[in-house]
Structure formats: C-alpha cells, structure tokens
Amino acid sequence: GIDEIRAIRDSAMLLPVRAKRKVYIIDEAHMLTKEAFNALLKTLEEPPEHVVFILATTEPEKVPETISSRCQHLRFHRISDEVAAKAILETGSAEGFSVESEAADTLALFAEGSLRDALNLFGQISVLAGSGNSEIKAEDVRGFFGAPARKAVQDLISAIGAKDGKIAFECLSNSLKDGSDPRVFMKILIHDFRNKFLDVL
C-alpha cells in the first residue's frame, strides 16, 4: 500500500548505519497499488547513491511501464535437478545425514527448479526420518510422495520402446498396486522420457 511505500521512501533517504548501502527488496512487486507505484516513482527516478531497490515479481508485465523503464531487468531461471540434488546431498552431509543419491534426485525432481523448495522438502523428510536416524533412503522419499520405484519407471519406458503393451501395462499396474500415486508416476515418467530424448539429441 501507499503508506508502506511512503515509509520506505522516507527511510531510504537516511544514510545506512554500518553497511555502504541500503537494499530494499519488494517481493511480488506487481501487487503494489497504482498509488504505491506513483509514490515510489520519484525515488526510482533519482535514487540516493546509497540505496538499491530490488523489485521481485513473477509477473513483470503487470509492473507499470513508468516503473519498469527505470529498472535493470534480470530474469532468473529454474535451477537444474542436478544442482538441486547436489545441494541436498551437501546439506544432508552438513546436518549429519547420509542421503542416498536416488533420494536426493527424487527430492530435486519435486522441487521443480526451486532450491528453497528442495531444501524445505529435505527438511520435512529429515524430520520424518526421526532424530535417531541419520540415513535418508530413496524408499523413504518415495513413500513420502507416493512415488514409484525408479526401476518400475525404467521398465515401463523399456516396454514402451519395445512396443510391448502387455509388459507396459503390467509395470504400471504393479506399481499402482504397490501404492504409487498415478499422478506422481506420470510426473516421473515424463521427466525420465524427456531426459532420454535429450540424451539421444
């Protein structure tokens, strides 16, 4: 709202006490009201040398042109599953957990490119593992999400590649009988299919 932006604007004029700069991060900037944007405009046009404004948004097209034209645009992308899995393994090691590679890979898949979500999911799994258990296995993660065993997905892909409908149906049916969530199965299947195509290309 306009009152909060006015407070930020007034505070920005004061020199920082310790650091060289003051950094203001306005998250979901597209949610600011028209009045709030107008109140911020003057400061963005002539910002004090010691101030940096960061307007974070997932919908940049909703930020008025008068504002966006005065900003430097940096687009952030999702991180790869490999980077997320590596971060999970490193965090697990630092926290005293032994994390199986497949467990880290599955957590990374469900984080969908967000390192924050990957570490949040790891935190939830580590709590479920219990204070006396320092090992996080792939089966623990699969049970948490209702995910199928990796082999079941690979067997299904092989059956589809061999055009063996009977085996493909059995792979899927057996996995669902074991308690796999069909939506989760499809998510992992599509992910693995995409990776196989990328390897071929």
Side-chain angles (χ1 to χ4, degrees), residues 7-104:
I8 290 174
R9 184 186 62 190
D10 294 342
S11 171
M13 298 304 165
L14 302 174
L15 289 169
V17 177
R18 294 179 183 170
K20 291 182 179 180
R21 297 184 185 275
K22 282 184 173 182
V23 179
Y24 293 91
I25 301 175
I26 302 176
D27 197 15
E28 300 295 342
H30 62 275
M31 299 291 288
L32 266 65
T33 64
K34 181 180 178 181
E35 293 76 17
F37 275 126
N38 288 337
L40 185 61
L41 181 58
K42 179 66 174 175
T43 307
L44 288 180
E45 285 178 328
E46 300 174 10
E49 290 186 6
H50 61 271
V51 172
V52 175
F53 282 100
I54 298 176
L55 308 182
T57 177
T58 53
E59 300 180 51
E61 68 280 359
K62 291 186 177 179
V63 176
E65 179 66 22
T66 52
I67 297 293
S68 62
S69 64
R70 289 164 172 80
C71 297
Q72 181 178 6
H73 295 242
L74 301 173
R75 290 190 174 273
F76 294 92
H77 302 280
R78 296 173 186 266
I79 62 170
S80 68
D81 289 347
E82 291 76 16
V83 171
K86 183 180 177 184
I88 290 168
L89 291 170
E90 290 174 352
T91 302
S93 177
E95 295 292 329
F97 287 93
S98 171
V99 184
E100 288 184 357
S101 294
E102 188 180 335

Side-chain angles (χ1 to χ4, degrees), residues 159-200:
I160 292 171
K163 298 182 180 178
D164 191 331
K166 183 174 182 292
I167 297 297
F169 180 78
E170 286 177 358
C171 289
L172 182 58
S173 179
N174 289 338
S175 186
L176 296 181
K177 284 179 183 176
D178 290 339
S180 296
D181 184 322
R183 291 170 298 181
V184 173
F185 194 106
M186 287 303 298
K187 181 183 181 73
I188 295 176
L189 179 65
I190 291 169
H191 174 269
D192 287 3
F193 254 128
R194 186 185 66 217
N195 286 346
K196 280 193 174 293
F197 278 123
L198 288 175
D199 289 342
V200 170

